[in-house]
Amino acid sequence: SQRTFSIIKPDAVRKGYTAAILAEIEKAGFKIVAIKKIGLTKEQAEGFYYVHAARPFFGELTTFMSSGTIVPMVLEKDNAIADLRTLMGATDPAKADEGTIRKKYASSIGENAIHGSDAEDTAAFEIGYFFAGYELK
Ligand code: CMP
């Protein structure tokens, strides 16, 4: 089996969708290996999204991600990285398939409810950014 990293973003936490999104994740067969509720500083958000530093939306993205409580977590199942991205739906909720988390809970391409790692190397970086080894039993 495989691990991936996910964040319930500030828009979804503010709207009270945390438990509903966690239920979708568990229903889809993911084991929640580690989870917490925290707030990021702007600098911590910039560190997490450093691969997007040159993008025009970097400022907007990191301001949003430091605007409120987030729920980072480590998830595990067979094919976790690809299966979570399928469950999330397209980055832009307007293009997301019916039944996906972004279709149900996201409002825009920037405020899109949930993050999921896109590859094994990014998953490893992202898990290590938020969780220590002793939290990942
Ligand atoms: P995420 O998977 O967390 O990783 C990068 C994020 O950038 C992505 O989700 C989107 O929420 C965000 N993003 C992508 N394109 C845009 C855009 N055009 N404007 C604002 N945010 C964007």
PDB file of all heavy atoms in Angstrom, residues 55-95:
ATOM      1  N   ARG A  55       4.604  31.027  -9.965  1.00  0.00           N
ATOM      2  CA  ARG A  55       3.267  31.138 -10.550  1.00  0.00           C
ATOM      3  C   ARG A  55       2.628  32.489 -10.194  1.00  0.00           C
ATOM      4  O   ARG A  55       2.837  33.006  -9.111  1.00  0.00           O
ATOM      5  CB  ARG A  55       2.347  30.026 -10.048  1.00  0.00           C
ATOM      6  CG  ARG A  55       2.836  28.629 -10.300  1.00  0.00           C
ATOM      7  CD  ARG A  55       2.663  28.201 -11.733  1.00  0.00           C
ATOM      8  NE  ARG A  55       2.971  26.772 -11.851  1.00  0.00           N
ATOM      9  CZ  ARG A  55       2.036  25.820 -11.811  1.00  0.00           C
ATOM     10  NH1 ARG A  55       0.758  26.139 -11.697  1.00  0.00           N
ATOM     11  NH2 ARG A  55       2.380  24.559 -11.896  1.00  0.00           N
ATOM     12  N   PRO A  56       1.795  33.021 -11.096  1.00  0.00           N
ATOM     13  CA  PRO A  56       1.147  34.315 -10.820  1.00  0.00           C
ATOM     14  C   PRO A  56       0.211  34.267  -9.621  1.00  0.00           C
ATOM     15  O   PRO A  56      -0.027  35.303  -9.000  1.00  0.00           O
ATOM     16  CB  PRO A  56       0.383  34.618 -12.123  1.00  0.00           C
ATOM     17  CG  PRO A  56       0.270  33.317 -12.840  1.00  0.00           C
ATOM     18  CD  PRO A  56       1.475  32.506 -12.441  1.00  0.00           C
ATOM     19  N   PHE A  57      -0.298  33.081  -9.279  1.00  0.00           N
ATOM     20  CA  PHE A  57      -1.252  32.976  -8.170  1.00  0.00           C
ATOM     21  C   PHE A  57      -0.576  32.635  -6.837  1.00  0.00           C
ATOM     22  O   PHE A  57      -1.270  32.370  -5.853  1.00  0.00           O
ATOM     23  CB  PHE A  57      -2.345  31.948  -8.495  1.00  0.00           C
ATOM     24  CG  PHE A  57      -1.839  30.574  -8.854  1.00  0.00           C
ATOM     25  CD1 PHE A  57      -1.485  29.659  -7.868  1.00  0.00           C
ATOM     26  CD2 PHE A  57      -1.731  30.187 -10.191  1.00  0.00           C
ATOM     27  CE1 PHE A  57      -1.017  28.393  -8.195  1.00  0.00           C
ATOM     28  CE2 PHE A  57      -1.263  28.914 -10.524  1.00  0.00           C
ATOM     29  CZ  PHE A  57      -0.911  28.018  -9.525  1.00  0.00           C
ATOM     30  N   PHE A  58       0.776  32.657  -6.777  1.00  0.00           N
ATOM     31  CA  PHE A  58       1.485  32.234  -5.562  1.00  0.00           C
ATOM     32  C   PHE A  58       1.107  33.080  -4.335  1.00  0.00           C
ATOM     33  O   PHE A  58       0.883  32.549  -3.245  1.00  0.00           O
ATOM     34  CB  PHE A  58       2.998  32.287  -5.788  1.00  0.00           C
ATOM     35  CG  PHE A  58       3.815  31.750  -4.645  1.00  0.00           C
ATOM     36  CD1 PHE A  58       3.737  30.415  -4.267  1.00  0.00           C
ATOM     37  CD2 PHE A  58       4.683  32.584  -3.945  1.00  0.00           C
ATOM     38  CE1 PHE A  58       4.506  29.920  -3.215  1.00  0.00           C
ATOM     39  CE2 PHE A  58       5.454  32.087  -2.890  1.00  0.00           C
ATOM     40  CZ  PHE A  58       5.373  30.763  -2.527  1.00  0.00           C
ATOM     41  N   GLY A  59       1.011  34.389  -4.521  1.00  0.00           N
ATOM     42  CA  GLY A  59       0.660  35.267  -3.401  1.00  0.00           C
ATOM     43  C   GLY A  59      -0.743  34.992  -2.892  1.00  0.00           C
ATOM     44  O   GLY A  59      -0.972  34.848  -1.679  1.00  0.00           O
ATOM     45  N   GLU A  60      -1.673  34.887  -3.832  1.00  0.00           N
ATOM     46  CA  GLU A  60      -3.074  34.593  -3.490  1.00  0.00           C
ATOM     47  C   GLU A  60      -3.186  33.236  -2.781  1.00  0.00           C
ATOM     48  O   GLU A  60      -3.879  33.094  -1.765  1.00  0.00           O
ATOM     49  CB  GLU A  60      -3.870  34.598  -4.796  1.00  0.00           C
ATOM     50  CG  GLU A  60      -5.352  34.396  -4.680  1.00  0.00           C
ATOM     51  CD  GLU A  60      -6.012  34.223  -6.069  1.00  0.00           C
ATOM     52  OE1 GLU A  60      -5.480  34.769  -7.062  1.00  0.00           O
ATOM     53  OE2 GLU A  60      -7.028  33.536  -6.132  1.00  0.00           O
ATOM     54  N   LEU A  61      -2.480  32.243  -3.331  1.00  0.00           N
ATOM     55  CA  LEU A  61      -2.519  30.877  -2.783  1.00  0.00           C
ATOM     56  C   LEU A  61      -2.002  30.846  -1.344  1.00  0.00           C
ATOM     57  O   LEU A  61      -2.631  30.256  -0.458  1.00  0.00           O
ATOM     58  CB  LEU A  61      -1.670  29.959  -3.678  1.00  0.00           C
ATOM     59  CG  LEU A  61      -1.411  28.537  -3.189  1.00  0.00           C
ATOM     60  CD1 LEU A  61      -2.711  27.744  -3.075  1.00  0.00           C
ATOM     61  CD2 LEU A  61      -0.430  27.826  -4.145  1.00  0.00           C
ATOM     62  N   THR A  62      -0.864  31.492  -1.091  1.00  0.00           N
ATOM     63  CA  THR A  62      -0.248  31.403   0.233  1.00  0.00           C
ATOM     64  C   THR A  62      -0.973  32.295   1.248  1.00  0.00           C
ATOM     65  O   THR A  62      -1.022  31.951   2.434  1.00  0.00           O
ATOM     66  CB  THR A  62       1.258  31.730   0.159  1.00  0.00           C
ATOM     67  OG1 THR A  62       1.440  33.004  -0.467  1.00  0.00           O
ATOM     68  CG2 THR A  62       1.986  30.658  -0.629  1.00  0.00           C
ATOM     69  N   THR A  63      -1.561  33.397   0.788  1.00  0.00           N
ATOM     70  CA  THR A  63      -2.405  34.208   1.685  1.00  0.00           C
ATOM     71  C   THR A  63      -3.628  33.406   2.097  1.00  0.00           C
ATOM     72  O   THR A  63      -3.992  33.346   3.275  1.00  0.00           O
ATOM     73  CB  THR A  63      -2.824  35.521   0.992  1.00  0.00           C
ATOM     74  OG1 THR A  63      -1.651  36.301   0.768  1.00  0.00           O
ATOM     75  CG2 THR A  63      -3.798  36.316   1.860  1.00  0.00           C
ATOM     76  N   PHE A  64      -4.271  32.766   1.126  1.00  0.00           N
ATOM     77  CA  PHE A  64      -5.444  31.934   1.423  1.00  0.00           C
ATOM     78  C   PHE A  64      -5.095  30.786   2.369  1.00  0.00           C
ATOM     79  O   PHE A  64      -5.800  30.545   3.364  1.00  0.00           O
ATOM     80  CB  PHE A  64      -6.053  31.399   0.121  1.00  0.00           C
ATOM     81  CG  PHE A  64      -7.035  30.291   0.328  1.00  0.00           C
ATOM     82  CD1 PHE A  64      -8.207  30.506   1.044  1.00  0.00           C
ATOM     83  CD2 PHE A  64      -6.787  29.030  -0.173  1.00  0.00           C
ATOM     84  CE1 PHE A  64      -9.105  29.468   1.258  1.00  0.00           C
ATOM     85  CE2 PHE A  64      -7.676  27.987   0.033  1.00  0.00           C
ATOM     86  CZ  PHE A  64      -8.845  28.209   0.759  1.00  0.00           C
ATOM     87  N   MET A  65      -4.002  30.087   2.089  1.00  0.00           N
ATOM     88  CA  MET A  65      -3.672  28.905   2.900  1.00  0.00           C
ATOM     89  C   MET A  65      -3.239  29.267   4.321  1.00  0.00           C
ATOM     90  O   MET A  65      -3.223  28.411   5.197  1.00  0.00           O
ATOM     91  CB  MET A  65      -2.607  28.063   2.198  1.00  0.00           C
ATOM     92  CG  MET A  65      -3.121  27.332   0.974  1.00  0.00           C
ATOM     93  SD  MET A  65      -4.482  26.174   1.324  1.00  0.00           S
ATOM     94  CE  MET A  65      -3.589  24.878   2.219  1.00  0.00           C
ATOM     95  N   SER A  66      -2.903  30.553   4.534  1.00  0.00           N
ATOM     96  CA  SER A  66      -2.566  31.001   5.894  1.00  0.00           C
ATOM     97  C   SER A  66      -3.712  31.809   6.510  1.00  0.00           C
ATOM     98  O   SER A  66      -3.527  32.460   7.532  1.00  0.00           O
ATOM     99  CB  SER A  66      -1.266  31.813   5.872  1.00  0.00           C
ATOM    100  OG  SER A  66      -1.350  32.903   4.989  1.00  0.00           O
ATOM    101  N   SER A  67      -4.902  31.735   5.917  1.00  0.00           N
ATOM    102  CA  SER A  67      -6.033  32.574   6.358  1.00  0.00           C
ATOM    103  C   SER A  67      -6.881  31.934   7.450  1.00  0.00           C
ATOM    104  O   SER A  67      -7.806  32.588   7.949  1.00  0.00           O
ATOM    105  CB  SER A  67      -6.931  32.900   5.164  1.00  0.00           C
ATOM    106  OG  SER A  67      -7.648  31.745   4.729  1.00  0.00           O
ATOM    107  N   GLY A  68      -6.612  30.698   7.805  1.00  0.00           N
ATOM    108  CA  GLY A  68      -7.445  30.037   8.814  1.00  0.00           C
ATOM    109  C   GLY A  68      -6.967  28.639   9.097  1.00  0.00           C
ATOM    110  O   GLY A  68      -5.919  28.201   8.583  1.00  0.00           O
ATOM    111  N   THR A  69      -7.744  27.948   9.890  1.00  0.00           N
ATOM    112  CA  THR A  69      -7.377  26.582  10.290  1.00  0.00           C
ATOM    113  C   THR A  69      -7.372  25.644   9.081  1.00  0.00           C
ATOM    114  O   THR A  69      -8.257  25.722   8.219  1.00  0.00           O
ATOM    115  CB  THR A  69      -8.389  26.076  11.332  1.00  0.00           C
ATOM    116  OG1 THR A  69      -8.375  26.971  12.444  1.00  0.00           O
ATOM    117  CG2 THR A  69      -8.035  24.683  11.821  1.00  0.00           C
ATOM    118  N   ILE A  70      -6.389  24.772   9.060  1.00  0.00           N
ATOM    119  CA  ILE A  70      -6.326  23.693   8.063  1.00  0.00           C
ATOM    120  C   ILE A  70      -6.218  22.357   8.798  1.00  0.00           C
ATOM    121  O   ILE A  70      -5.845  22.313   9.972  1.00  0.00           O
ATOM    122  CB  ILE A  70      -5.140  23.847   7.083  1.00  0.00           C
ATOM    123  CG1 ILE A  70      -3.797  23.778   7.820  1.00  0.00           C
ATOM    124  CG2 ILE A  70      -5.264  25.147   6.290  1.00  0.00           C
ATOM    125  CD1 ILE A  70      -2.607  23.628   6.880  1.00  0.00           C
ATOM    126  N   VAL A  71      -6.532  21.281   8.060  1.00  0.00           N
ATOM    127  CA  VAL A  71      -6.421  19.932   8.620  1.00  0.00           C
ATOM    128  C   VAL A  71      -5.512  19.100   7.711  1.00  0.00           C
ATOM    129  O   VAL A  71      -5.968  18.501   6.733  1.00  0.00           O
ATOM    130  CB  VAL A  71      -7.814  19.273   8.773  1.00  0.00           C
ATOM    131  CG1 VAL A  71      -7.678  17.857   9.354  1.00  0.00           C
ATOM    132  CG2 VAL A  71      -8.726  20.118   9.670  1.00  0.00           C
ATOM    133  N   PRO A  72      -4.202  19.104   8.014  1.00  0.00           N
ATOM    134  CA  PRO A  72      -3.277  18.251   7.260  1.00  0.00           C
ATOM    135  C   PRO A  72      -3.376  16.806   7.746  1.00  0.00           C
ATOM    136  O   PRO A  72      -3.646  16.563   8.931  1.00  0.00           O
ATOM    137  CB  PRO A  72      -1.906  18.842   7.586  1.00  0.00           C
ATOM    138  CG  PRO A  72      -2.060  19.566   8.871  1.00  0.00           C
ATOM    139  CD  PRO A  72      -3.512  19.941   9.008  1.00  0.00           C
ATOM    140  N   MET A  73      -3.173  15.883   6.820  1.00  0.00           N
ATOM    141  CA  MET A  73      -3.252  14.467   7.204  1.00  0.00           C
ATOM    142  C   MET A  73      -2.462  13.580   6.255  1.00  0.00           C
ATOM    143  O   MET A  73      -2.189  13.953   5.109  1.00  0.00           O
ATOM    144  CB  MET A  73      -4.719  14.012   7.261  1.00  0.00           C
ATOM    145  CG  MET A  73      -5.454  14.128   5.964  1.00  0.00           C
ATOM    146  SD  MET A  73      -7.239  13.916   6.231  1.00  0.00           S
ATOM    147  CE  MET A  73      -7.852  15.190   5.136  1.00  0.00           C
ATOM    148  N   VAL A  74      -2.118  12.411   6.774  1.00  0.00           N
ATOM    149  CA  VAL A  74      -1.441  11.382   5.983  1.00  0.00           C
ATOM    150  C   VAL A  74      -2.426  10.234   5.809  1.00  0.00           C
ATOM    151  O   VAL A  74      -3.028   9.772   6.788  1.00  0.00           O
ATOM    152  CB  VAL A  74      -0.159  10.899   6.695  1.00  0.00           C
ATOM    153  CG1 VAL A  74       0.509   9.782   5.901  1.00  0.00           C
ATOM    154  CG2 VAL A  74       0.796  12.067   6.909  1.00  0.00           C
ATOM    155  N   LEU A  75      -2.607   9.804   4.572  1.00  0.00           N
ATOM    156  CA  LEU A  75      -3.606   8.785   4.231  1.00  0.00           C
ATOM    157  C   LEU A  75      -2.924   7.588   3.589  1.00  0.00           C
ATOM    158  O   LEU A  75      -1.945   7.754   2.851  1.00  0.00           O
ATOM    159  CB  LEU A  75      -4.630   9.378   3.255  1.00  0.00           C
ATOM    160  CG  LEU A  75      -5.358  10.623   3.744  1.00  0.00           C
ATOM    161  CD1 LEU A  75      -6.224  11.205   2.635  1.00  0.00           C
ATOM    162  CD2 LEU A  75      -6.204  10.311   4.975  1.00  0.00           C
ATOM    163  N   GLU A  76      -3.483   6.415   3.815  1.00  0.00           N
ATOM    164  CA  GLU A  76      -2.864   5.195   3.289  1.00  0.00           C
ATOM    165  C   GLU A  76      -3.899   4.250   2.688  1.00  0.00           C
ATOM    166  O   GLU A  76      -4.965   4.038   3.284  1.00  0.00           O
ATOM    167  CB  GLU A  76      -2.114   4.492   4.432  1.00  0.00           C
ATOM    168  CG  GLU A  76      -1.329   3.264   3.979  1.00  0.00           C
ATOM    169  CD  GLU A  76      -0.455   2.718   5.103  1.00  0.00           C
ATOM    170  OE1 GLU A  76       0.380   3.473   5.647  1.00  0.00           O
ATOM    171  OE2 GLU A  76      -0.635   1.551   5.457  1.00  0.00           O
ATOM    172  N   LYS A  77      -3.589   3.724   1.529  1.00  0.00           N
ATOM    173  CA  LYS A  77      -4.337   2.635   0.881  1.00  0.00           C
ATOM    174  C   LYS A  77      -3.537   2.211  -0.340  1.00  0.00           C
ATOM    175  O   LYS A  77      -2.570   2.885  -0.705  1.00  0.00           O
ATOM    176  CB  LYS A  77      -5.766   3.063   0.493  1.00  0.00           C
ATOM    177  CG  LYS A  77      -5.850   3.897  -0.784  1.00  0.00           C
ATOM    178  CD  LYS A  77      -7.265   4.389  -1.062  1.00  0.00           C
ATOM    179  CE  LYS A  77      -8.221   3.349  -1.605  1.00  0.00           C
ATOM    180  NZ  LYS A  77      -7.881   2.858  -2.954  1.00  0.00           N
ATOM    181  N   ASP A  78      -3.929   1.152  -1.004  1.00  0.00           N
ATOM    182  CA  ASP A  78      -3.327   0.827  -2.295  1.00  0.00           C
ATOM    183  C   ASP A  78      -3.617   1.966  -3.273  1.00  0.00           C
ATOM    184  O   ASP A  78      -4.748   2.470  -3.315  1.00  0.00           O
ATOM    185  CB  ASP A  78      -3.928  -0.473  -2.859  1.00  0.00           C
ATOM    186  CG  ASP A  78      -3.475  -1.701  -2.074  1.00  0.00           C
ATOM    187  OD1 ASP A  78      -2.474  -1.608  -1.342  1.00  0.00           O
ATOM    188  OD2 ASP A  78      -4.140  -2.741  -2.199  1.00  0.00           O
ATOM    189  N   ASN A  79      -2.613   2.386  -4.030  1.00  0.00           N
ATOM    190  CA  ASN A  79      -2.802   3.420  -5.064  1.00  0.00           C
ATOM    191  C   ASN A  79      -3.321   4.751  -4.480  1.00  0.00           C
ATOM    192  O   ASN A  79      -4.100   5.467  -5.118  1.00  0.00           O
ATOM    193  CB  ASN A  79      -3.755   2.896  -6.143  1.00  0.00           C
ATOM    194  CG  ASN A  79      -3.578   3.570  -7.479  1.00  0.00           C
ATOM    195  OD1 ASN A  79      -2.453   3.926  -7.867  1.00  0.00           O
ATOM    196  ND2 ASN A  79      -4.671   3.787  -8.191  1.00  0.00           N
ATOM    197  N   ALA A  80      -2.871   5.077  -3.259  1.00  0.00           N
ATOM    198  CA  ALA A  80      -3.426   6.228  -2.525  1.00  0.00           C
ATOM    199  C   ALA A  80      -3.303   7.555  -3.284  1.00  0.00           C
ATOM    200  O   ALA A  80      -4.243   8.359  -3.268  1.00  0.00           O
ATOM    201  CB  ALA A  80      -2.740   6.346  -1.163  1.00  0.00           C
ATOM    202  N   ILE A  81      -2.166   7.799  -3.926  1.00  0.00           N
ATOM    203  CA  ILE A  81      -1.944   9.113  -4.555  1.00  0.00           C
ATOM    204  C   ILE A  81      -2.956   9.340  -5.677  1.00  0.00           C
ATOM    205  O   ILE A  81      -3.667  10.351  -5.694  1.00  0.00           O
ATOM    206  CB  ILE A  81      -0.486   9.227  -5.064  1.00  0.00           C
ATOM    207  CG1 ILE A  81       0.483   9.239  -3.864  1.00  0.00           C
ATOM    208  CG2 ILE A  81      -0.309  10.484  -5.917  1.00  0.00           C
ATOM    209  CD1 ILE A  81       1.959   9.124  -4.239  1.00  0.00           C
ATOM    210  N   ALA A  82      -3.055   8.395  -6.595  1.00  0.00           N
ATOM    211  CA  ALA A  82      -3.989   8.544  -7.723  1.00  0.00           C
ATOM    212  C   ALA A  82      -5.439   8.467  -7.259  1.00  0.00           C
ATOM    213  O   ALA A  82      -6.295   9.223  -7.745  1.00  0.00           O
ATOM    214  CB  ALA A  82      -3.703   7.471  -8.777  1.00  0.00           C
ATOM    215  N   ASP A  83      -5.723   7.564  -6.311  1.00  0.00           N
ATOM    216  CA  ASP A  83      -7.121   7.403  -5.869  1.00  0.00           C
ATOM    217  C   ASP A  83      -7.617   8.640  -5.129  1.00  0.00           C
ATOM    218  O   ASP A  83      -8.791   9.028  -5.269  1.00  0.00           O
ATOM    219  CB  ASP A  83      -7.269   6.166  -4.983  1.00  0.00           C
ATOM    220  CG  ASP A  83      -7.230   4.867  -5.772  1.00  0.00           C
ATOM    221  OD1 ASP A  83      -7.096   4.924  -7.014  1.00  0.00           O
ATOM    222  OD2 ASP A  83      -7.321   3.793  -5.151  1.00  0.00           O
ATOM    223  N   LEU A  84      -6.749   9.300  -4.348  1.00  0.00           N
ATOM    224  CA  LEU A  84      -7.181  10.538  -3.683  1.00  0.00           C
ATOM    225  C   LEU A  84      -7.454  11.624  -4.709  1.00  0.00           C
ATOM    226  O   LEU A  84      -8.433  12.371  -4.589  1.00  0.00           O
ATOM    227  CB  LEU A  84      -6.140  11.018  -2.670  1.00  0.00           C
ATOM    228  CG  LEU A  84      -6.559  12.295  -1.931  1.00  0.00           C
ATOM    229  CD1 LEU A  84      -7.806  12.064  -1.072  1.00  0.00           C
ATOM    230  CD2 LEU A  84      -5.409  12.837  -1.078  1.00  0.00           C
ATOM    231  N   ARG A  85      -6.621  11.709  -5.743  1.00  0.00           N
ATOM    232  CA  ARG A  85      -6.847  12.749  -6.762  1.00  0.00           C
ATOM    233  C   ARG A  85      -8.157  12.506  -7.516  1.00  0.00           C
ATOM    234  O   ARG A  85      -8.864  13.458  -7.866  1.00  0.00           O
ATOM    235  CB  ARG A  85      -5.631  12.872  -7.682  1.00  0.00           C
ATOM    236  CG  ARG A  85      -4.434  13.457  -6.895  1.00  0.00           C
ATOM    237  CD  ARG A  85      -3.189  13.588  -7.718  1.00  0.00           C
ATOM    238  NE  ARG A  85      -3.275  14.647  -8.717  1.00  0.00           N
ATOM    239  CZ  ARG A  85      -3.046  15.935  -8.467  1.00  0.00           C
ATOM    240  NH1 ARG A  85      -2.748  16.346  -7.237  1.00  0.00           N
ATOM    241  NH2 ARG A  85      -3.120  16.831  -9.434  1.00  0.00           N
ATOM    242  N   THR A  86      -8.489  11.242  -7.746  1.00  0.00           N
ATOM    243  CA  THR A  86      -9.792  10.921  -8.354  1.00  0.00           C
ATOM    244  C   THR A  86     -10.929  11.340  -7.427  1.00  0.00           C
ATOM    245  O   THR A  86     -11.919  11.948  -7.871  1.00  0.00           O
ATOM    246  CB  THR A  86      -9.884   9.411  -8.646  1.00  0.00           C
ATOM    247  OG1 THR A  86      -8.826   9.062  -9.535  1.00  0.00           O
ATOM    248  CG2 THR A  86     -11.228   9.047  -9.266  1.00  0.00           C
ATOM    249  N   LEU A  87     -10.800  11.020  -6.130  1.00  0.00           N
ATOM    250  CA  LEU A  87     -11.845  11.365  -5.158  1.00  0.00           C
ATOM    251  C   LEU A  87     -12.002  12.883  -5.018  1.00  0.00           C
ATOM    252  O   LEU A  87     -13.126  13.375  -4.850  1.00  0.00           O
ATOM    253  CB  LEU A  87     -11.489  10.748  -3.801  1.00  0.00           C
ATOM    254  CG  LEU A  87     -12.442  11.004  -2.636  1.00  0.00           C
ATOM    255  CD1 LEU A  87     -13.808  10.358  -2.897  1.00  0.00           C
ATOM    256  CD2 LEU A  87     -11.856  10.473  -1.327  1.00  0.00           C
ATOM    257  N   MET A  88     -10.892  13.631  -5.123  1.00  0.00           N
ATOM    258  CA  MET A  88     -10.946  15.102  -5.004  1.00  0.00           C
ATOM    259  C   MET A  88     -11.648  15.730  -6.199  1.00  0.00           C
ATOM    260  O   MET A  88     -12.363  16.715  -6.047  1.00  0.00           O
ATOM    261  CB  MET A  88      -9.524  15.690  -4.913  1.00  0.00           C
ATOM    262  CG  MET A  88      -8.769  15.314  -3.651  1.00  0.00           C
ATOM    263  SD  MET A  88      -7.261  16.307  -3.420  1.00  0.00           S
ATOM    264  CE  MET A  88      -6.408  16.030  -4.951  1.00  0.00           C
ATOM    265  N   GLY A  89     -11.379  15.245  -7.399  1.00  0.00           N
ATOM    266  CA  GLY A  89     -11.882  15.877  -8.620  1.00  0.00           C
ATOM    267  C   GLY A  89     -10.921  16.946  -9.120  1.00  0.00           C
ATOM    268  O   GLY A  89      -9.900  17.220  -8.501  1.00  0.00           O
ATOM    269  N   ALA A  90     -11.265  17.561 -10.247  1.00  0.00           N
ATOM    270  CA  ALA A  90     -10.395  18.538 -10.901  1.00  0.00           C
ATOM    271  C   ALA A  90     -10.128  19.739  -9.990  1.00  0.00           C
ATOM    272  O   ALA A  90     -10.969  20.108  -9.163  1.00  0.00           O
ATOM    273  CB  ALA A  90     -11.032  19.015 -12.200  1.00  0.00           C
ATOM    274  N   THR A  91      -8.934  20.363 -10.179  1.00  0.00           N
ATOM    275  CA  THR A  91      -8.536  21.536  -9.390  1.00  0.00           C
ATOM    276  C   THR A  91      -9.611  22.609  -9.409  1.00  0.00           C
ATOM    277  O   THR A  91      -9.924  23.205  -8.381  1.00  0.00           O
ATOM    278  CB  THR A  91      -7.220  22.117  -9.958  1.00  0.00           C
ATOM    279  OG1 THR A  91      -6.241  21.078  -9.989  1.00  0.00           O
ATOM    280  CG2 THR A  91      -6.702  23.256  -9.099  1.00  0.00           C
ATOM    281  N   ASP A  92     -10.167  22.860 -10.578  1.00  0.00           N
ATOM    282  CA  ASP A  92     -11.261  23.830 -10.728  1.00  0.00           C
ATOM    283  C   ASP A  92     -12.587  23.100 -10.483  1.00  0.00           C
ATOM    284  O   ASP A  92     -12.970  22.229 -11.266  1.00  0.00           O
ATOM    285  CB  ASP A  92     -11.220  24.402 -12.143  1.00  0.00           C
ATOM    286  CG  ASP A  92     -12.312  25.436 -12.368  1.00  0.00           C
ATOM    287  OD1 ASP A  92     -13.188  25.608 -11.479  1.00  0.00           O
ATOM    288  OD2 ASP A  92     -12.287  26.066 -13.438  1.00  0.00           O
ATOM    289  N   PRO A  93     -13.283  23.433  -9.393  1.00  0.00           N
ATOM    290  CA  PRO A  93     -14.530  22.706  -9.072  1.00  0.00           C
ATOM    291  C   PRO A  93     -15.572  22.757 -10.191  1.00  0.00           C
ATOM    292  O   PRO A  93     -16.392  21.842 -10.306  1.00  0.00           O
ATOM    293  CB  PRO A  93     -15.033  23.384  -7.798  1.00  0.00           C
ATOM    294  CG  PRO A  93     -14.271  24.649  -7.669  1.00  0.00           C
ATOM    295  CD  PRO A  93     -12.980  24.468  -8.388  1.00  0.00           C
ATOM    296  N   ALA A  94     -15.516  23.791 -11.024  1.00  0.00           N
ATOM    297  CA  ALA A  94     -16.449  23.884 -12.154  1.00  0.00           C
ATOM    298  C   ALA A  94     -16.217  22.756 -13.158  1.00  0.00           C
ATOM    299  O   ALA A  94     -17.111  22.408 -13.935  1.00  0.00           O
ATOM    300  CB  ALA A  94     -16.309  25.240 -12.841  1.00  0.00           C
ATOM    301  N   LYS A  95     -14.990  22.192 -13.150  1.00  0.00           N
ATOM    302  CA  LYS A  95     -14.642  21.099 -14.077  1.00  0.00           C
ATOM    303  C   LYS A  95     -14.622  19.735 -13.382  1.00  0.00           C
ATOM    304  O   LYS A  95     -14.303  18.723 -13.997  1.00  0.00           O
ATOM    305  CB  LYS A  95     -13.275  21.375 -14.712  1.00  0.00           C
ATOM    306  CG  LYS A  95     -13.276  22.624 -15.590  1.00  0.00           C
ATOM    307  CD  LYS A  95     -11.891  22.931 -16.103  1.00  0.00           C
ATOM    308  CE  LYS A  95     -11.888  24.246 -16.893  1.00  0.00           C
ATOM    309  NZ  LYS A  95     -10.569  24.885 -16.933  1.00  0.00           N
TER     310      LYS A  95
END
